[in-house]
């Protein structure tokens, strides 16, 4: 019996995802890109989402499942792990496979046979712009695609949480005063270098959100010490000299070690820094990714007015910017981070909440106020 989709959100979002992938595929072909993925039909997208949703509500040996599903034939998977015979895609199958494929970078390969979809095995290699669906937690699904050249974090297309659907608005990154981290996550700006400083900041943001303890990361200009005016002294944990673990790796020239070695080294250094953001207070780095202090207490700069409002935005379809008092966005972390950026306008603040929300605070010269960009929908 062929499984008919019953998860209504899947039917709602599937045509949007198909159009998104087709648009990017056409643009990539016009630019002469190769190794491009095949775009699933809306019906196939709906089926994959539906099966994954019902599987996400199950547990295997008492543990919620975490899986990644990719739509591609084995011929585009490099050196795949192949089953002797493809197995029909069902919630039961995904639940049973989950313990063996939950590690990051492993994808369950799905491809059609006739009118139904089948799992043919697993892969760690995907073609450019591949459709990928991640089951992050029970009832939470993230649709994304692999970036061209495979560099950096996958680009999120939509997030489904129960009956709530958020579709990413790619155009929000092209608005005036959009921070570079938002532009990069949305694919507005691209870098073919792993050691691009914005790509590294994205990895830090993902890692901050993953530790689920909440935290603040302040990024200050390397040419100025003005940030000290907005910090209570003496500093709890000042670093002297500035710790340059990530900064040294950003100067990687590609000759001394392999790129894989460098990427692994960077991952360790990122985790080293983001672990400190779990300590009460703010972690401070400069724009060269040099660590200056952690556990710092933020205070209003001398003679600076108290911040009264911020402009809250989220890069999703139908998202409406809201003028709010920063305390309405979150707790004391958000208020202190907003005040810091209000006083130190060349700095940015990244705030992770324990409940998974993630906000980037930046100063807008155009609006003459602090903008709060909620980007957790892009970090999942």
């Amino acid at each position: 019996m062929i499984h008919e989709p019953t998860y209504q959100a899947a039917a709602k979002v599937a045509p949007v995802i198909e159009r998104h992938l087709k648009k990017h595929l056409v643009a990539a072909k016009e630019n002469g890109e190769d190794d491009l993925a095949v775009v699933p039909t809306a019906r196939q997208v709906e089926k994959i989402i539906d099966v994954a949703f019902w599987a996400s509500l199950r547990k295997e040996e008492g543990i919620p499942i975490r899986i990644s599903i990719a739509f591609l034939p084995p011929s585009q998977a490099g050196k795949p792990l192949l089953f002797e015979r493809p197995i029909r895609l069902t919630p039961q199958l995904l639940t049973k496979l989950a313990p063996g494929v939950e590690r990051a970078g492993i994808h369950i390969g799905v491809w059609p046979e006739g009118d139904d979809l089948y799992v043919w095995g697993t892969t760690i290699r995907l073609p450019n712009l591949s459709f990928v669906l991640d089951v992050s937690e029970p009832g939470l699904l993230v649709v994304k695609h692999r970036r061209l050249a495979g560099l950096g974090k996958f680009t999120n297309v939509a997030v489904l949480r129960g009956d709530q659907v958020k579709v990413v608005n790619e155009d929000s990154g092209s608005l005036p005063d959009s921070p570079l981290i938002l532009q990069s996550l949305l694919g507005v700006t691209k870098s073919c270098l792993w050691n691009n400083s914005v790509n590294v900041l994205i990895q830090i943001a993902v890692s901050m959100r993953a530790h689920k303890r909440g935290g603040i990361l302040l990024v200050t200009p390397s040419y100025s010490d003005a940030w000290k005016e907005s910090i209570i002294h003496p500093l709890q944990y000042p670093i002297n000299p500035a710790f340059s673990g990530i900064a040294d790796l950003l100067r990687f020239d590609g000759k001394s070690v392999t790129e894989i070695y460098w990427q692994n080294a960077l991952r360790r250094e990122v985790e080293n820094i983001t672990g400190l953001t779990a300590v009460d207070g703010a972690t401070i780095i400069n724009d060269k990714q040099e660590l200056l202090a952690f556990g710092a207490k933020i205070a209003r700069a001398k003679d600076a007015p108290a911040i009264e409002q911020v402009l809250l935005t989220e890069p999703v379809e139908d998202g409406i910017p809201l003028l709010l008092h920063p305390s309405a966005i979150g707790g004391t972390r958000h208020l202190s981070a907003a005040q810091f950026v209000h006083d130190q306008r060349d700095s940015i603040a990244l705030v992770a909440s324990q409940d998974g929300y993630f906000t980037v605070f930046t100063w807008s010269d155009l609006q003459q106020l602090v903008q709060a960009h909620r980007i957790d929908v892009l970090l999942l």
Side-chain angles (χ1 to χ4, degrees), residues 35 72-78 80 82 111 120 125:
D35 190 28
L72 77 163
S75 59
Q76 284 193 297
L82 289 172
W111 194 246
W120 49 255
R125 183 194 179 281

Side-chain angles (χ1 to χ4, degrees), residues 29 48 56-58 64 71 86 111 117 128 152 178 240 261 265 291 304 320 326 359 362:
K29 287 180 177 178
I48 294 171
S56 78
L57 303 182
R58 297 167 174 247
F71 182 84
W111 194 246
L117 293 171
N128 293 320
S178 294
N240 189 18
Y261 177 90
L291 176 65
I320 301 173
T359 310
T362 62

Side-chain angles (χ1 to χ4, degrees), residues 202-214:
I202 290 171
Q203 293 180 60
I204 291 175
V206 171
S207 184
M208 281 181 66
R209 188 180 181 278
H211 68 51
K212 297 182 180 180
R213 294 178 180 271

